[in-house]
Amino acid sequence: MLTIWGRTNSVNVKKVLWAVHELEVPHERIDAGGAFGLVNDAEYRAMNPNGLVPLLKDGDLVLWESNAILRYLCAKFGAGSLWAEDPAERAIGDKWMDWATSNLAGPYRDVFWNLVRMTPETRDDAAVERGRTACSALLARVDQALADKPYLSGETFRMGDIPLACFAYGWYEMPIERPHLPNLDAWYARVRERPAFATAVAVPLT
C-alpha cells in the first residue's frame, strides 16, 4: 500500500491525493507539515531532505516533489486514463504541470497566504493586488489555450489538468476580483464535477 505524508490543505498534496482517488489506489495518508510538524524530524528528513510535503513511499521507492509523484502515480496506475501512452499526446497536458509550478505558484502564493493565512493586521494588501494582477494575466493564457479544447490535456481529462485545477480551486474560492475568462470558467466547471476533485481538493481553505 502507498503511504503519503502531507496535510490536506496543501495545494501540492492535493495533486497527489486527487490522483490516488481518481485512480482508486489504496493508500495511507499521514498528516505532516504546517501545524502537524513531523517534517523536521530526523526520520522524515532522511526520506526528504527538503522537509516539505508531499512525500510518497511505494515499497522501496521514496519520492518527493509533487509533480514527480503525480507523474509516477499516473504512469504506474493510470495507463489509458490519466496517463496518455503516446508521448506527444501526453506532453500536451504535461507542460501545464510545470507551467503552474514555475509561473503561477509564486503570485498565487502572495494572494493566498495574505488572504487566507494572515490576519488583517499582518496582511500585505499591496502583495495581494500584485499577485492578483499577475495571476489574472497568467490565467488569461490558460483561457486562450482552452479556446479549442475542453481540457489542458486535450479532448480528455488527464494528468496535466490536475495541478492547475488545484490552484484554480483557491483562485475561485478566495474573495477577490477575477477577470471574465469564459474558457477557463467552463474548464473549471468540468473538472469540479469529478468525484475525486470533491474528495481531495474541495476542502476549506486554511
Side-chain angles (χ1 to χ4, degrees), residues 73-147:
L73 291 172
C74 293
K76 182 172 182 178
F77 301 105
S81 58
L82 294 184
W83 182 263
E85 293 292 353
D86 177 60
E89 182 183 356
R90 187 168 66 248
I92 291 171
D94 194 2
K95 66 179 180 289
W96 288 106
M97 294 176 58
D98 293 331
W99 180 90
T101 300
S102 61
N103 289 270
L104 188 67
Y108 173 88
R109 189 178 300 114
D110 287 338
V111 181
F112 178 84
W113 271 88
N114 279 285
L115 290 183
V116 177
R117 295 188 175 165
M118 296 292 186
T119 65
E121 294 75 23
T122 59
R123 184 176 299 154
D124 184 342
D125 291 326
V128 172
E129 183 56 24
R130 285 195 304 271
R132 189 196 66 80
T133 301
C135 286
S136 296
L138 290 166
L139 290 172
R141 301 179 193 174
V142 184
D143 185 75
Q144 185 176 14
L146 289 165

Side-chain angles (χ1 to χ4, degrees), residues 16-161:
V16 176
L17 295 179
W18 187 352
V20 294
H21 284 292
E22 190 82 36
L23 298 169
E24 300 182 342
V25 180
H27 64 281
E28 173 192 17
R29 185 183 63 81
I30 299 172
D31 281 322
F36 300 102
L38 191 68
V39 295
N40 289 319
D41 293 357
E43 183 179 358
Y44 189 90
R45 286 291 181 127
M47 294 187 290
N48 183 355
N50 303 295
L52 299 172
V53 292
L55 174 68
L56 172 78
K57 190 172 190 299
D58 182 15
D60 293 331
L61 175 68
V62 176
L63 192 59
W64 37 266
E65 287 296 328
S66 59
N67 285 355
I69 294 172
L70 182 56
R71 290 184 178 103
Y72 170 74
L73 291 172
C74 293
K76 182 172 182 178
F77 301 105
S81 58
L82 294 184
W83 182 263
E85 293 292 353
D86 177 60
E89 182 183 356
R90 187 168 66 248
I92 291 171
D94 194 2
K95 66 179 180 289
W96 288 106
M97 294 176 58
D98 293 331
W99 180 90
T101 300
S102 61
N103 289 270
L104 188 67
Y108 173 88
R109 189 178 300 114
D110 287 338
V111 181
F112 178 84
W113 271 88
N114 279 285
L115 290 183
V116 177
R117 295 188 175 165
M118 296 292 186
T119 65
E121 294 75 23
T122 59
R123 184 176 299 154
D124 184 342
D125 291 326
V128 172
E129 183 56 24
R130 285 195 304 271
R132 189 196 66 80
T133 301
C135 286
S136 296
L138 290 166
L139 290 172
R141 301 179 193 174
V142 184
D143 185 75
Q144 185 176 14
L146 289 165
D148 60 353
K149 56 182 180 288
Y151 296 101
L152 294 171
S153 299
E155 294 301 316
T156 304
F157 174 85
R158 295 192 188 278
M159 172 185 74
D161 292 274

